[in-house]
Amino acid sequence: MNRVLIVGGGAAGMFAAIMAARNGCEVFLFEKNEKLGKKLYITGKGRCNVTNACGPEELLAGVARNPKFLYSAFYGFGSREMMDFLEEAGVPLKTERGNRVFPVSDHSSDIIRALERQMKKYGVHIRLHSRVKKVSAEEGRAAGVYLENGEFYPGEAVMVATGGLSYPSTGSTGDGYVFARETGHKVTELSPSLVPLHTAEDYIPRLKGLSLRNVELTVRKGKKILFRDFGEMMFTHFGVTGPLILSASACIGQTLQKEGSLSACLDLKPALTQEQLDARILREFQSGKNKQFKNVIGVLFPSSLTPVMLELGGIPGEKIIHEISREERQRFGALIKAFPFTLTGLGEFKEAVITRGGVSVKEISPATMESKKIQGLYFIGEVLDLDAVTGGYNLQIAWSTAYLAALAASEV
């Protein structure tokens, strides 16, 4: 019987433990925290967006970094398989907008409990409060792990599932990168991803707390479009956040760090063309032609946005509607279609959903997640140089890579 040692009790670690034990391995799971799944508990604002209900090609399209590496993983174990696993484990699921999959209960604790039940069912040895200090390798193959207290556990396979650097309060402190480097692996540059973005303009903090739905965000470097998508976002005291912004950060983060700033704009009415919007504004103007401008435009967007729109639009709020020229009206329409701001930086790791960068996938077999340098050593989940946009894709990376590694380790 193969002995599999798994370092890290998050999504990837727990799922790998279940799959390896189910395939007949003796499995030890080491978690330095007092409980399992601390980061999983807070994902999706505590609701746990477990996957995205789409096919392998769509999953790959949601991956921002090294998607080709995940071809075997997503085709070998995709979202449908994960959903079936969870429902069979006693967690009813539901699919929401954007194919996001959640437990019906909206409680991430149900996912963690189901994984714990499965581990118990298959006899996984769980060691809490157990920090792994070193991964041992001898003559080019994994030999076991040393705990902080000096104990040594030998094993035929070692899986590193320690996560990244995001949400360090959950225990994601970069241990896996240390193990990778110590065993001769390259770790690519690390930065926060799926993270709020900072902005330059002083009018953005004045909109703090305002949420916008069904808006389109475009981010450019010069004339080149780096990101364009549709969804929800929110203004903060330092910039912008929300699902749309987090997804943007995964695509533009590296360029933003390199360039220092990027131009962005919001289309507040993406369902309308410029001409349709102008016709709509004209209707409002005709029905209130003797009113002041500031008292008419409030129907076009949230009222808390009105002072800033007046400031940027160039039409005095007191101006009577019938005095406004066609050019002024059209210029204001253009502002609604392209509300501008400048992105100046990324939030910190403590605000990031995931880490960008990690163990170089060039040194990992995409079919098994096994190191090409050390036999029997596997890297799974967020510790790898893989990341995706929001919507359940990052958790699916954890499930899929864990599945392949468990399968391979049980055949050693």
Side-chain angles (χ1 to χ4, degrees), residues 149-183:
N149 64 8
E151 274 186 90
F152 177 71
Y153 282 79
E156 284 74 36
V158 175
M159 292 186 196
V160 177
T162 49
L165 288 170
S166 57
Y167 293 130
S169 60
T170 64
S172 301
T173 51
D175 298 2
Y177 306 133
V178 176
F179 303 146
R181 290 188 187 107
E182 286 176 348
T183 49

Side-chain angles (χ1 to χ4, degrees), residues 12 15-16 60 66-77 142 157-161 180 185 359-386 396-409 412:
F15 194 59
L60 290 166
N66 297 317
K68 287 177 184 170
F69 177 83
L70 287 163
Y71 192 88
S72 297
F74 285 164
Y75 272 94
F77 189 87
V158 175
M159 292 186 196
V160 177
H185 296 82
V359 178
S360 173
V361 296
K362 290 175 184 171
E363 299 175 351
I364 306 298
S365 164
T368 61
M369 301 301 133
E370 186 176 23
S371 162
K372 292 177 181 177
K373 293 175 171 248
I374 308 282
Q375 206 178 340
L377 177 60
Y378 301 81
F379 292 91
I380 56 177
E382 196 187 337
V383 75
L384 288 163
D385 183 13
L386 300 166
Q396 188 59 48
I397 291 173
W399 312 130
S400 296
T401 56
Y403 178 84
L404 288 191
L407 210 62
V412 171

Side-chain angles (χ1 to χ4, degrees), residues 13 15 33 58 80 92 95 139 146 172 189 238 279 283 291 310 321 375 383 389 394:
F15 194 59
N33 285 318
E58 292 98 322
R80 185 67 263 167
T95 302
E139 297 173 0
Y146 285 95
S172 301
E189 189 182 345
F238 58 79
R283 282 201 306 274
K291 292 182 180 177
L310 284 171
I321 291 294
Q375 206 178 340
V383 75
V389 298
N394 288 289

Side-chain angles (χ1 to χ4, degrees), residues 234-399:
M234 186 173 84
F235 296 100
T236 69
H237 64 284
F238 58 79
V240 283
T241 189
L244 184 57
I245 301 300
L246 301 188
S247 287
S249 75
C251 301
I252 64 149
Q254 214 170 7
T255 310
L256 180 56
Q257 285 182 306
K258 194 173 153 190
E259 297 293 320
S261 69
L262 293 169
S263 61
C265 66
L266 287 173
D267 185 341
L268 302 173
K269 297 287 179 188
L272 302 178
T273 64
Q274 193 80 55
E275 293 72 24
Q276 288 170 329
L277 177 62
D278 188 49
R280 165 86 197 277
I281 295 171
L282 196 54
R283 282 201 306 274
E284 297 299 337
F285 277 18
Q286 284 168 343
S287 63
K289 55 188 173 189
N290 295 316
K291 292 182 180 177
Q292 290 184 329
F293 178 58
K294 65 182 179 185
N295 296 327
V296 172
I297 57 164
V299 295
L300 297 168
F301 35 74
S303 57
S304 53
L305 196 52
T306 302
V308 172
M309 294 298 282
L310 284 171
E311 194 177 299
L312 300 182
I315 304 172
E318 290 73 31
K319 194 165 187 175
I320 304 302
I321 291 294
H322 66 73
E323 294 173 357
I324 294 171
S325 70
R326 181 170 174 265
E327 289 73 23
E328 284 177 314
R329 185 188 77 234
Q330 289 181 337
R331 212 165 42 238
F332 194 76
L335 174 64
I336 294 172
K337 293 293 285 179
F339 177 81
F341 51 96
T342 309
L343 301 173
T344 56
L346 300 169
E348 299 172 33
F349 276 113
K350 65 182 180 184
E351 303 165 289
V353 176
I354 55 161
T355 305
R356 185 180 181 88
V359 178
S360 173
V361 296
K362 290 175 184 171
E363 299 175 351
I364 306 298
S365 164
T368 61
M369 301 301 133
E370 186 176 23
S371 162
K372 292 177 181 177
K373 293 175 171 248
I374 308 282
Q375 206 178 340
L377 177 60
Y378 301 81
F379 292 91
I380 56 177
E382 196 187 337
V383 75
L384 288 163
D385 183 13
L386 300 166
D387 67 271
V389 298
T390 56
Y393 299 96
N394 288 289
L395 267 179
Q396 188 59 48
I397 291 173
W399 312 130

Side-chain angles (χ1 to χ4, degrees), residues 46-50 91-94 96 101-111:
R47 296 174 62 218
C48 197
N49 182 187
V50 289
V91 186
L93 301 173
K94 60 180 176 180
E96 296 186 0
V101 180
F102 294 90
V104 168
S105 66
D106 282 332
H107 293 147
S108 54
S109 53
D110 288 355
I111 303 293

